[in-house]
Amino acid sequence: PFSAVVVTRPEGTLVESLTAPSFDGTTNVITIPAVTGVVYTIDEEVVAAGALPAITSATEVVASAADGYYFPANTTRSWTYTP
């Protein structure tokens, strides 16, 4: 008998470069980047690109691929910021 490894690639458009949100520790403001094919969420709520109100507690931002897009394997998809 023969064995084989089958590797499947997700369908859609590859998000070549996933950009992490930026964080200003002086003002405690997270800024969400505008990246085609990426949806950023906080507490499972979609957040728009741009500066958010200052955070007062640890906040996790999660990136998900939008419909029709996918990320490369082993891509960092979440970031936690602490004021």
Side-chain angles (χ1 to χ4, degrees):
F2 294 97
S3 63
V5 175
V6 177
V7 178
T8 58
R9 184 184 72 139
E11 291 187 26
T13 302
L14 172 67
V15 175
E16 298 272 343
S17 178
L18 178 58
T19 305
S22 62
F23 178 67
D24 182 335
T26 304
T27 60
N28 294 325
V29 170
I30 298 170
T31 300
I32 305 296
V35 181
T36 300
V38 181
V39 176
Y40 293 92
T41 59
I42 296 175
D43 294 329
E44 299 183 14
E45 296 289 328
V46 173
V47 290
L52 303 177
I55 61 172
T56 57
S57 61
T59 302
E60 181 182 36
V61 180
V62 178
S64 301
D67 288 342
Y69 291 86
Y70 69 96
F71 298 141
N74 301 319
T75 299
T76 299
R77 299 175 186 175
S78 68
W79 304 268
T80 300
Y81 302 99
T82 304

